[in-house]
Structures are given as structure tokens and as C-alpha cells.
Amino acid sequence: MILVTGGAGFIGANFVLDWMASSDESIVNLDKLTYAGNLGNLASVRDDARHTFVKGDICDGTLVASLLDRYRPRAIVHFAAESHVDRSIHAPGDFITTNVNGTFSLLEAARAYVSRLPAGEQPAFRFLHVSTDEVYGSLNAGDPPFMESTPYAPNSPYSASKAASDHLVRAYHHTYGLATLTGNCSNNYGPCQFPEKLIPLVIANALAGKTLPIYGDGSNVRDWLYVGDHCAALRRVLEAGRPGETYNIGGCNEKTNLEVVHALCDVLDSLAPAAASYRQLIGFVQDRPGHDRRYAIDAGKIERELGWRPAESFETGIRKTVRWYLDHPDWVKDIQSGAYLQWVERNYGDRPSLPGRRA
Ligand code: NAD
Ligand code: TYD
């Protein structure tokens, strides 16, 4: 069995569902159910005896130790985090608490647990840390993509907290010999992503006839990976990754934000046509402070060493994603509760629109 943290969030829930579909091995899923955690994401495995959900905090070392002793997992797959850059700008404290202190607490619990395992079981244990390409900072046009050897240069409280957690993971391997693995992945998209992030926000706003807010001039570049491909990469890293190593995971799909929003509008125009093209809803708003210009990933190491490469193209992945949101209007409606509306007011309410910019 494996212990997953943050398995009620976007990527964690996709990982749990994919795992249950492709393996008989059981999962204990520890999640605090913050605003981003949603048991609705796990509805299809609610009655599956192989999945045990525990509501709790990764910062609670006593709870984590008791789960490890009770379930005796062969691995921890660590997704739990505060994950949204804009929220980290408004309120960084939770990012330090969960991403830094929480990861530290989990590493401590894992180290103590491994030392209690019989000697014969210790070498098989793995700690798989799920991280981001944002730890490498920002690229200019023409710069080579991030490699595993690229120096860390995080720019937002979010990326700084993830960088800190990556360093702790690295230190636990080097100092204590904990068999850690780290995946640094580019921007994910797909089913169950909370509609604060660009792609689900644009889909939800478009369907509600609201403005599609683009920060700045829309020329910032991200590399986009379909979430199912990220989950497959993580399964492969867990299976065959070399302890102590980090693996960059990316989709080879660099797009400007404007290209992404145009692509979403075009798919929506074909799957859910409205009176006018959804592109009419695009509006440019004040930029994010410290907005990283470009992320790009060199995923050559994971391809060479572990044989992983993405199965989904941007076009097929985006179409699947839009289809999923069209088929799950209640999922979005349930999330857009009071707390979500407060966030929208906080992030977009005092962000002036930029006149004179056209899509
Ligand atoms: P998410 O915000 O959708 O989900 C995070 C989950 O963690 C939620 O279920 C939440 O309830 C849980 N959680 C938060 N604090 C917790 C705590 N203290 N204890 C236990 N559970 C807690 O995030 P996501 O987009 O699914 O990202 C998952 C991981 O992948 C994160 O570590 C993130 O940094 C990383 N990542 C995300 C992306 C992306 O594009 N979304 C890309 C690369 C890496
Ligand atoms: P996001 O989905 O928040 O991911 P990240 O900041 O981790 O890359 O944002 C993706 C890109 O989209 C990023 O360049 C910021 C931009 N963006 C907008 O232009 N408008 C929005 O309303 C949001 C949420 C993001």
C-alpha cells in the first residue's frame, strides 16, 4: 500500500483514480480538505475498500506517524500543498506552513518510520515529492529550457516555498539516506482543476458569459501538460526512479497565455456555441506582481532513463478538458460557493482592466 497526501486536490485525485484503475495496491489518502480539497473528486472510489480517506494535516506529526505504523506503506507520494501563485501573493503564510513546515514534518515522520521497519523492508521504501518547474524561476525568450541542473531562482512566495521543500527533500536523502524522488513538473490541466487556475477559470467564466481576464498583455509563456500524463510520469518515477534524483516533467507544449485562451475559446465555440465567439469575452487586466515570463522544461532525462513521454497533445488534452467541464456543471457550481466568490472579489476586484488592448 502507498500513502498519498493531498489526494483530494486536482493532481492528487487524478493520481488516486488512475492508480486505482491500473493497480491493485491500496491507498491511504491524507488530505486536510482546504478550499482546494474536494471529496467529490473521489466519488467514484468512495465504496472501494482499497481506498481509505483520512481528513488531516500533514503538519500533524503524531497523526502521520500513527498512519505510517498502522498501514505500513511502501511509499509516500506527497502532493499536499498550497498551490496557487496569486493566493501566495495575497497571503503567503499558509504556503510556508504547509509547503515548508508540512513537508519537513512528513520527512521527519518518514525517517522515523523507515528506521522502525525491519532491515529487509527498509531499502524498498520511497518518498516521492511532487514539485514544480517554478522553482527554477523565469526564462527569457530564446533561453534554453530548465534542466535538472538549472540553479534554483524562485520568484513568488509559492515557488519559494516549493523550492524550500525540494531542498529539505534533497537534504533528507544526502544526510539520512532517505530514498527520495522528486518530480518538477510544468503547468498541469485537466479534469477536477479548481477554477482559480487559468484554464478552468477561463472555461467557467466563458460558460457564465463573464470576462476572461488575461494578466498584462497575455504574452507570458507556460509549458502545459495534461494531468494524466503527469500521473503516468509519477507512477514511472516511483517504479524505477533512482533514489536521490530529481526528474523534470513537461509537455513540450510552450504557449503564450493568449494562445491558450484562444484555443479554449475555439474549442468552446465548437462544443458549446454561443451567439458570438467566446473570444469576445477576453479582457486584459493589470498584471500579476513579479509575473514570471516564461517556463520551459527539458524532459530528456525522464525520457532517456525511464522511457516516459506524454501521450496527450495540447489539442487533444484541451478538448478532453473542455468536454469534462461541460459534462460536470454541478462540480463547478458546488465549488463556486461563498469562499470562492470572496477570492474572486479579492483577486480581480481591485485589478483594473487595461484599456486599448485587443485580443
Ligand atoms: P491543489 O491545490 O488542487 O490541491 C492541494 C491538495 O492538498 C488539496 O486537496 C488540499 O486540501 C490538500 N492540502 C493542502 N494543505 C494540506 C495540509 N496541510 N495537509 C493535508 N492536505 C493539505 O493542488 P494541485 O494543483 O493538485 O497540486 C498538487 C501538487 O503538485 C502540489 O504540491 C503542487 O505544488 C504540485 N504541482 C502542481 C502543478 C499544477 O499545475 N497544478 C504543477 C506542478 C506541480
Ligand atoms: P496559473 O494557472 O495561475 O498557473 P501559474 O501561475 O502557476 O503558472 O496561471 C497560468 C498563467 O496564466 C500565468 O502566466 C498567469 C496567467 N493568468 C491570467 O492571465 N489570468 C488569470 O486570471 C489567471 C488565474 C492566470
Side-chain angles (χ1 to χ4, degrees):
M1 97 123 56
I2 61 169
L3 172 67
V4 167
T5 71
F10 162 49
I11 306 175
N14 276 281
F15 180 87
V16 168
L17 299 184
D18 288 359
W19 182 275
M20 306 284 286
S22 60
S23 159
D24 284 334
E25 200 172 7
S26 298
I27 289 183
V28 175
N29 184 350
L30 172 63
D31 195 297
K32 187 178 174 184
L33 295 181
T34 66
Y35 79 93
N38 182 350
L39 283 178
N41 297 345
L42 300 164
S44 63
V45 295
R46 192 172 28 220
D47 300 324
D48 193 321
R50 293 172 304 151
H51 176 249
T52 304
F53 183 80
V54 178
K55 182 176 183 311
D57 194 327
I58 55 165
C59 298
D60 182 347
T62 310
L63 170 66
V64 175
S66 76
L67 292 176
L68 291 171
D69 283 341
R70 176 163 176 203
Y71 293 103
R72 302 176 65 82
R74 69 165 175 98
I76 295 175
V77 185
H78 176 34
F79 295 93
E82 290 293 335
S83 69
H84 187 35
V85 173
D86 291 318
R87 287 189 192 253
S88 84
I89 294 168
H90 286 284
D94 288 347
F95 288 72
I96 305 305
T97 303
T98 286
N99 300 0
V100 185
N101 296 340
T103 301
F104 166 65
S105 163
L106 210 55
L107 285 164
E108 273 293 90
R111 177 165 83 92
Y113 165 66
V114 173
S115 74
R116 291 193 297 273
L117 284 176
E121 287 179 33
Q122 291 183 3
F125 182 82
R126 296 287 182 272
F127 186 103
L128 172 54
H129 177 56
V130 181
S131 192
T132 166
D133 60 355
E134 301 191 25
V135 297
Y136 297 120
S138 181
L139 297 170
N140 289 315
D143 286 348
F146 301 133
M147 300 191 62
E148 287 79 359
S149 55
T150 302
Y152 274 31
N155 291 318
S156 72
Y158 163 66
S159 54
S161 68
K162 291 297 290 187
S165 68
D166 291 9
H167 289 322
L168 285 168
V169 169
R170 175 188 161 91
Y172 270 64
H173 174 71
H174 281 267
T175 303
Y176 303 114
L178 190 68
T180 61
L181 300 157
T182 297
N184 291 95
C185 189
S186 62
N187 285 58
N188 283 215
Y189 65 97
C192 301
Q193 187 168 27
F194 194 86
E196 64 189 356
K197 307 273 169 64
L198 179 69
I199 286 181
L201 178 97
V202 164
I203 298 171
N205 279 18
L207 293 173
K210 294 183 181 158
T211 300
L212 313 181
I214 297 194
Y215 296 163
D217 64 2
S219 66
N220 298 66
V221 172
R222 298 290 182 265
D223 172 65
W224 293 95
L225 181 69
Y226 187 71
V227 64
D229 279 327
H230 186 192
C231 294
L234 293 172
R235 288 200 302 276
R236 189 70 192 123
V237 170
L238 184 60
E239 184 175 62
R242 287 183 289 132
E245 292 293 313
T246 66
Y247 295 89
N248 281 356
I249 304 167
C252 231
N253 270 314
E254 279 186 63
K255 306 271 177 215
T256 66
N257 292 335
L258 196 52
E259 285 171 336
V260 170
V261 176
H262 280 162
L264 286 167
C265 289
D266 295 349
V267 174
L268 282 162
D269 282 341
S270 83
L271 295 181
S277 167
Y278 290 99
R279 288 191 184 206
Q280 305 289 324
L281 296 172
I282 290 174
F284 294 90
V285 299
Q286 189 181 48
D287 209 351
R288 170 189 281 173
H291 196 173
D292 283 340
R293 274 233 60 77
R294 173 178 167 240
Y295 304 141
I297 282 269
D298 180 335
K301 178 177 173 182
I302 188 171
E303 180 168 358
R304 273 190 315 276
E305 292 191 9
L306 304 180
W308 173 88
R309 55 160 62 192
E312 217 65 69
S313 71
F314 186 70
E315 289 67 32
T316 58
I318 282 290
R319 214 176 164 80
K320 270 189 187 176
T321 303
V322 171
R323 184 81 267 162
W324 187 87
Y325 282 91
L326 287 172
D327 290 344
H328 295 82
D330 291 345
W331 186 92
V332 177
K333 210 163 73 202
D334 286 352
I335 279 172
Q336 291 174 326
S337 62
Y340 175 77
L341 295 176
Q342 279 162 25
W343 164 249
V344 170
E345 181 50 33
R346 185 161 189 204
N347 193 40
Y348 298 98
D350 58 0
R351 193 187 282 272
S353 54
L354 299 174
R357 291 256 176 79
R358 301 186 59 79

